[in-house]
Amino acid sequence: MHEKESSNSHRENEHRVDNLVDLVEKQTRTERHLEQHSEISSPENIQHAKEIQDERQEEINNLKNIIVTGEHSNNDQAKNVKKRYKYTEGYLKHNADTMDETTLENTKEKQAHRKEQMDFLE
């Protein structure tokens, strides 16, 4: 039984490391994009990108913590989901009329998923 648990734990950590690498790559690309194009982007888009970067940094720190200590932080997760939900609601309110239909629908679906997550985590 311990071999199976160890194997599952090993796979979970491999998945976490893959997620960590993906997040760091996305964060780096966005940072470069902000540096190169901040003068031509709207203040709302820059603010949105910075908030996404903050969320990524929190996720990176959380993944590092889980990999190193094996501890999850559900309170932080609940707080982060609630924060993303609230921010996205405001973003939709101000930008829905300028978003393309696919992005708008995807964002609404993500909001529904966040709502479910908030209900589950509370």
Side-chain angles (χ1 to χ4, degrees), residues 53-65:
Q53 289 293 79
D54 290 343
E55 290 173 16
R56 285 181 181 146
Q57 187 59 53
E58 287 180 30
E59 289 181 57
I60 288 168
N61 291 340
N62 189 39
L63 279 171
K64 285 176 15 181
N65 185 50

Side-chain angles (χ1 to χ4, degrees), residues 3-94:
E3 271 186 49
K4 186 175 183 179
E5 289 175 13
S6 177
S7 177
N8 285 339
S9 177
H10 181 73
R11 275 194 298 261
E12 287 173 0
N13 277 337
E14 284 180 350
H15 181 69
R16 288 180 184 123
V17 169
D18 289 343
N19 284 341
L20 182 62
V21 169
D22 184 53
L23 280 169
V24 170
E25 288 174 350
K26 286 179 181 178
Q27 187 177 39
T28 302
R29 281 192 306 269
T30 301
E31 194 63 37
R32 283 189 199 132
H33 184 78
L34 284 171
E35 289 171 0
Q36 294 172 355
H37 303 290
S38 63
E39 68 279 350
I40 60 173
S41 191
S42 73
E44 293 84 15
N45 287 340
I46 292 171
Q47 182 61 33
H48 178 68
K50 288 181 179 182
E51 290 180 13
I52 289 172
Q53 289 293 79
D54 290 343
E55 290 173 16
R56 285 181 181 146
Q57 187 59 53
E58 287 180 30
E59 289 181 57
I60 288 168
N61 291 340
N62 189 39
L63 279 171
K64 285 176 15 181
N65 185 50
I66 292 168
I67 292 167
V68 171
T69 66
E71 295 178 10
H72 295 268
S73 55
N74 283 341
N75 290 339
D76 287 342
Q77 184 180 2
K79 182 179 88 174
N80 290 338
V81 171
K82 191 176 280 188
K83 184 173 88 173
R84 283 191 298 267
Y85 182 85
K86 182 179 176 184
Y87 172 76
T88 303
E89 281 297 304
Y91 187 84
L92 282 172
K93 182 179 178 184
H94 294 4

